[in-house]
Amino acid sequence: MTAPIHRPSVLFVCVQNAGRSQMAAAFLAHLAGDRVEVRSAGSTPADTVNPAVVEAMKEVGIDISAETPKVLTVDAVQASDVVITMGCGDTCPVFPGKRYLDWQLDDPAGQGVDAVRPIRDEIERRIRVLVNELVD
């Protein structure tokens, strides 16, 4: 009998959980499928996902219109192997044994879809690298 294969889990965190972290979570779920557990959250979540972000993701064939921003919890951090912060500063709790990455990305809040596209494309590029690291 073989041991169960550990599925790595990744948590994306930004302040509002309405833009960058939503795009990153959607790309990871899209590219890694069920090989990676994906979460996203915000330290101060917005009421809805940024409409320009929803539109930009739709352009690449990923529908996030049903997603809602979620509040960052200690449990979510503890349950994750990798925590990727995107401009949430010191509000993200740090636990030993977790891998932390801080991705410096422009905030799409208040931006139109033209400004969101380059952010989306940079997030996709970073997610493709991450998938190669996590899933072999």
Side-chain angles (χ1 to χ4, degrees):
M1 196 166 133
T2 59
I5 296 170
H6 173 72
R7 232 173 30 134
S9 112
V10 179
L11 170 65
F12 296 100
V13 182
C14 65
V15 176
Q16 294 189 323
N17 189 220
R20 295 165 291 188
S21 56
Q22 290 283 353
M23 288 190 282
F27 273 125
L28 183 55
H30 180 74
L31 295 169
D34 61 3
R35 297 174 295 171
V36 177
E37 188 175 349
V38 182
R39 297 180 181 87
S40 72
S43 51
T44 311
D47 294 329
T48 60
V49 174
N50 179 334
V53 167
V54 172
E55 182 63 31
M57 293 300 287
K58 195 175 290 181
E59 291 176 355
V60 295
I62 300 174
D63 182 6
I64 62 169
S65 61
E67 296 297 325
T68 55
K70 293 168 272 318
V71 69
L72 176 65
T73 65
V74 169
D75 290 346
V77 177
Q78 288 180 315
S80 301
D81 299 309
V82 181
V83 178
I84 299 175
T85 57
M86 302 168 166
C88 73
D90 297 331
T91 60
C92 300
V94 175
F95 294 97
K98 306 289 175 201
R99 179 178 170 201
Y100 289 88
L101 300 171
D102 184 40
W103 289 357
Q104 297 295 321
L105 296 159
D106 290 336
D107 188 348
Q111 304 283 344
V113 72
D114 288 342
V116 172
R117 285 186 191 109
I119 302 167
R120 174 201 65 200
D121 295 344
E122 175 60 16
I123 289 171
E124 181 181 14
R125 186 190 68 73
R126 293 181 190 204
I127 292 297
R128 288 185 181 279
V129 171
L130 183 66
V131 168
N132 288 335
E133 291 173 5
L134 294 175
V135 182
D136 35 32

